Amino acid sequence: MLDESLATQYEVSSNDSIKVGNKVFIVSGVVTKIPGGGGLTSTLAPAVYVSLKALDSTGLIQFGSRIGYSIYIKTKSDKETEDLIEK
């Protein structure tokens, strides 16, 4: 998935292909808003979202790489959220 600003800049949309490192991916969608994300961040460093399983195949993770990991979990209720945080 691509950050909206990146997709717009290069006129890329769903089902187009992009190369990330050594791997070609089919764009599955465009991210318009991400929890905790700010507009300025995407302007300075637009993101390409790749599954953790496919990340190694890009060849981009090596000594000196700057990598950030985030996990987003959707819960059905406040109680479920509180229980998950407590664990």
Side-chain angles (χ1 to χ4, degrees), residues 7-53:
T8 301
Q9 180 180 354
Y10 291 101
E11 298 178 356
V12 177
S13 59
S14 294
N15 297 320
D16 286 344
S17 60
I18 61 168
K19 187 171 183 180
V20 178
N22 300 324
K23 176 96 171 153
V24 175
F25 292 94
I26 302 297
V27 176
S28 60
V30 175
V31 177
T32 56
K33 193 172 186 182
I34 184 164
L40 183 58
T41 303
S42 65
T43 302
L44 297 174
V48 175
Y49 300 91
V50 176
S51 71
L52 190 55
K53 189 185 272 187

